[in-house]
Amino acid sequence: MIFYFSGTGNSKWAAKTLALETDDTLVSIPEVIKSDCSFTLEKDEHVGFIFPIHGWRVPSIVKEFITKLSIKTEEEDTSLIKHYCFCLVTAGDSIGKAMDRFLKQLRTVAVGDSLSLKAVYSLIMPESYVGLPGMDVDTKEKELEKKGLASAQLKEFSKILKQRPYTDNEQIWGWKELKRGPIPSFFSGPIGGFFERFLITDKPFHVDSRRCVKCGICANVCPVDDIKGGLGYEPEWLHTGKCLTCFSCYHHCPHHAIEFGKRTQKKGQYFYNRLNKQS
């Protein structure tokens, strides 16, 4: 079973592609986050987590889901069972120490007693964060290059999962090869904290009424239902504190009518199944 979250489609593509290779059941975290998050697994079924990195940290929706997640097994005595677990993350450049943070949380929540993290991987995917000056989507050429490399790497990772390495010891396959980037503790620490406190917010989002055609796409793609709208209505951000600043609303807008303050003016748009769109 693979639990995934995706904003602009990179992680969704990875989850769907991997599920086809491994014959896994896919579960969208935003679709089940409001439920009791209780799942029953078959004997020897593995568990995967796939999600993007936000500000060199684990997205809040994933952290919330892990605290709620409970797993049962279709066996009489499950007290000693630990399911093989993997985690794959996507990022436009580097992940810092986000995986370290994920592992630390997994070991402290209730579901951690049922899971044993044995394989990890980081895929570098097309850039979608556009919330700061100088940060924009990739060129079409770089986007295609990243997608091609990620596709090949994902096939190799699926082979690893089928082999299930390190099942009998404390090692984690792929740990040393994670794309942490330079000074990862600094980026996942102070910089990540700055992101969470000041940049992960819906307050700068607004709509340009001259461009908006009231199609409702932005409200439909928001993974946390933070946008009031729909067909025939201009979007209104609800300021619920749930916004992930994943920029899904911005990137999916067909007329570039959504902006994030003045930081996204004249910047491109991207989601997985289309090439970046320059304004």
Side-chain angles (χ1 to χ4, degrees), residues 19-268:
L20 288 173
E21 292 282 342
T22 57
D23 197 28
D24 272 305
T25 299
L26 275 181
V27 178
S28 168
I29 291 176
E31 291 180 6
V32 301
I33 191 70
K34 294 180 181 179
S35 70
D36 63 1
C37 299
S38 179
F39 298 88
T40 301
L41 303 180
E42 298 178 358
K43 182 182 178 181
D44 295 327
E45 184 175 0
H46 64 208
V47 173
F49 297 93
I50 298 179
F51 54 87
I53 298 303
H54 286 180
W56 296 278
R57 292 186 176 188
V58 179
S60 59
I61 191 173
V62 176
K63 291 188 289 185
E64 179 186 352
F65 175 72
I66 293 174
T67 62
K68 298 179 65 177
L69 180 62
S70 64
I71 287 176
K72 300 177 182 179
T73 306
E74 292 181 340
E75 293 182 352
E76 292 183 4
D77 183 9
T78 61
S79 58
L80 298 178
I81 291 178
K82 273 184 173 278
H83 288 270
Y84 188 97
C85 177
F86 72 87
C87 181
L88 182 148
V89 297
T90 62
D93 183 52
S94 62
I95 72 167
K97 297 201 103 175
M99 191 67 77
D100 303 67
R101 288 173 168 265
F102 172 80
L103 177 59
K104 183 178 180 179
Q105 185 188 9
L106 192 63
R107 287 174 171 171
T108 59
V109 296
V111 76
D113 293 333
S114 304
L115 302 176
S116 181
L117 187 64
K118 290 298 184 182
V120 296
Y121 205 80
S122 53
L123 280 180
I124 302 305
M125 298 291 293
E127 184 63 73
S128 63
Y129 187 78
V130 290
L132 283 174
M135 302 187 77
D136 202 347
V137 299
D138 293 322
T139 63
K140 290 181 174 64
E141 292 74 20
K142 190 171 184 179
E143 179 184 327
L144 290 172
E145 180 183 348
K146 282 184 174 182
K147 285 180 176 178
L149 180 59
S151 181
Q153 291 174 335
L154 196 57
K155 287 183 179 180
E156 291 303 311
F157 186 58
S158 70
K159 294 178 182 177
I160 294 298
L161 293 180
K162 293 173 184 177
Q163 296 169 5
R164 293 198 179 187
Y166 304 149
T167 54
D168 299 323
N169 56 45
E170 295 301 316
Q171 288 182 281
I172 300 176
W173 185 92
W175 190 260
K176 293 182 180 180
E177 290 73 32
L178 292 170
K179 304 296 192 300
R180 292 185 173 89
I183 47 177
S185 295
F186 176 68
F187 279 98
S188 288
I191 299 298
F194 177 81
F195 259 80
E196 286 190 345
R197 185 174 181 183
F198 298 107
L199 297 177
I200 299 182
T201 173
D202 63 358
K203 291 181 180 179
F205 282 112
H206 62 278
V207 62
D208 185 339
S209 297
R210 297 169 299 176
R211 295 183 178 183
C212 181
V213 295
K214 303 178 181 179
C215 63
I217 291 176
C218 54
N220 292 335
V221 299
C222 178
V224 291
D225 299 323
D226 187 49
I227 300 175
K228 179 182 178 182
L231 185 61
Y233 298 91
E234 283 193 6
E236 294 180 36
W237 283 262
L238 300 176
H239 310 307
T240 61
K242 293 288 187 179
C243 179
L244 302 166
T245 319
C246 65
F247 287 95
S248 184
C249 56
Y250 165 87
H251 288 295
H252 281 85
C253 179
H255 296 281
H256 208 314
I258 292 173
E259 302 286 4
F260 190 71
K262 295 183 179 179
R263 303 173 213 172
T264 51
Q265 292 179 355
K266 297 183 179 180
K267 289 187 177 181

